[in-house]
Amino acid sequence: LVSVVFLRNILPSLRSVLSNGTFWVVAIAHSGGSMVCSSIRILGTYFHDTSYGTISENQAGVVTLFLSVGVLVGLFFGGNVFSELANNPRARKSMISRLYIMTVAMCYSLAFLAIPFVRSAINSPYTVAFLQAIATFFMGAGVAVQVFCIPAIVGCTFGANKGLYASYTDGVACIVSSMVWRIMGNAVEEGNPQGSGWAYGWAAVALLVVLAGFLMVEFVEHYFCRGGWIGRLRDAKRRAGEDNDVSRDFSFSDDSSVSKLAESGKRMWEKFRPISRRKEPDMNSILSMEDDDDDIST
């Protein structure tokens, strides 16, 4: 029974997701934003080390909340703007590009604020921590849309396998980001955590975000600007075994209105309604039958 379930359900789903090129592109591009979001685990140590112990571990843990707040704010405002730009794919691409530029700039800001010379020039650990918290806030806001909106939109085209797609997207992103975290850990350790080690580490994070951002922007160009999502929908319907005529009758354009949806539904109803109906009796024939009955009775 287990083998039957595996062969008929699990294996086809795995094949459908893992053999799809769109999945791999989104998963790898997702690694940049995933790494920024997972940086909340090391931000406390970063704040503590770069303050020369002025900020305690408990205080440093509280400062990490700026990243989570930044993600929430970015998702609230950026997510609404991204959805409102559904009819303007070019504006969506420009928005994603600007968000990645902001995120990369904030990563380099954290690297810059970790340089001992810069911290000595500011000569105030609390001022340095405040600037680092602001950079952390905008870093989180810069990846909110890419992490939570784009993968979810693409996942809608995977049908019943959207849950598997979401899980494996996060899994691949975690594998890629874990490699960079390993490099960052070595850089911090060799460069002295109180010295320039964190500057090298955040520079490595910024490099991954640059590469992932470039891949994500190119994906947005192909998927949204060039209509690649339409092909994904048709492919998903074909894999689901649905009739191609239904997908042609139903309009999936971005600017589809309620009237177009109603027209599409009407065409589908006219096409698929039963051909054989019970023929309604003609009123003239009924009257003639009554006349015949009167003649016979007389």
Side-chain angles (χ1 to χ4, degrees):
L1 180 60
V2 176
S3 61
V4 172
V5 173
F6 179 79
L7 292 176
R8 293 186 179 181
N9 295 282
I10 300 177
L11 188 60
S13 298
L14 289 173
R15 188 184 298 113
S16 175
V17 173
L18 298 180
S19 64
N20 192 285
T22 301
F23 158 75
W24 289 105
V25 173
V26 175
I28 296 174
H30 182 62
S31 61
S34 176
M35 185 169 188
V36 170
C37 292
S38 62
S39 66
I40 193 172
R41 298 178 178 89
I42 55 94
L43 277 172
T45 307
Y46 167 75
F47 287 120
H48 178 69
D49 290 342
T50 54
S51 67
Y52 297 110
T54 304
I55 298 177
S56 65
E57 294 181 356
N58 293 332
Q59 292 174 332
V62 174
V63 180
T64 60
L65 291 175
F66 278 85
L67 179 65
S68 300
V69 174
V71 172
L72 292 175
V73 172
L75 188 60
F76 179 77
F77 291 101
N80 289 333
V81 174
F82 190 78
S83 62
E84 291 174 359
L85 295 176
N87 297 330
N88 193 348
R90 293 293 174 184
R92 275 186 165 183
K93 178 184 175 182
S94 178
M95 175 184 175
I96 296 300
S97 301
R98 292 192 183 97
L99 289 175
Y100 270 118
I101 291 173
M102 182 177 69
T103 303
V104 173
M106 294 303 103
C107 289
Y108 279 118
S109 298
L110 291 175
F112 180 74
L113 292 170
I115 300 175
F117 171 79
V118 175
R119 286 180 282 160
S120 299
I122 297 176
N123 196 23
S124 176
Y126 291 103
T127 303
V128 173
F130 175 76
L131 295 176
Q132 291 171 341
I134 296 300
T136 302
F137 173 84
F138 285 103
M139 182 178 66
V143 298
V145 174
Q146 301 92 306
V147 171
F148 295 100
C149 293
I150 295 180
I153 293 174
V154 178
C156 294
T157 62
F158 282 83
N161 298 322
K162 64 179 65 176
L164 185 66
Y165 153 83
S167 300
Y168 274 70
T169 298
D170 290 337
V172 172
C174 289
I175 291 174
V176 176
S177 60
S178 65
M179 299 177 184
V180 181
W181 281 128
R182 178 61 179 172
I183 297 173
M184 180 179 180
N186 293 334
V188 172
E189 184 178 0
E190 294 177 3
N192 185 6
Q194 283 75 30
S196 301
W198 283 105
Y200 300 138
W202 281 110
V205 174
L207 180 59
L208 174 64
V209 175
V210 169
L211 298 177
F214 177 79
L215 184 59
M216 183 66 80
V217 170
E218 290 300 316
F219 173 77
V220 171
E221 166 71 23
H222 169 75
Y223 197 78
F224 294 103
C225 299
R226 300 181 184 178
W229 64 278
I230 299 177
R232 276 289 309 142
L233 282 174
R234 290 175 179 172
D235 181 68
K237 284 187 170 296
R238 187 176 65 252
R239 288 174 181 270
E242 294 185 10
D243 196 304
N244 292 331
D245 292 334
V246 176
S247 62
R248 282 197 298 269
D249 286 338
F250 195 86
S251 177
F252 286 98
S253 60
D254 281 339
D255 57 347
S256 61
S257 60
V258 178
S259 59
K260 290 184 178 180
L261 185 64
E263 292 176 1
S264 299
K266 183 178 179 180
R267 289 199 304 268
M268 293 172 62
W269 169 253
E270 293 293 335
K271 189 168 186 177
F272 292 102
R273 64 181 177 179
I275 299 176
S276 60
R277 295 185 186 172
R278 187 179 63 182
K279 186 175 180 181
E280 305 217 354
D282 189 9
M283 186 61 67
N284 294 328
S285 62
I286 294 175
L287 294 176
S288 62
M289 291 172 61
E290 292 179 353
D291 293 338
D292 293 341
D293 292 340
D294 295 339
D295 295 338
I296 294 174
S297 60
T298 53

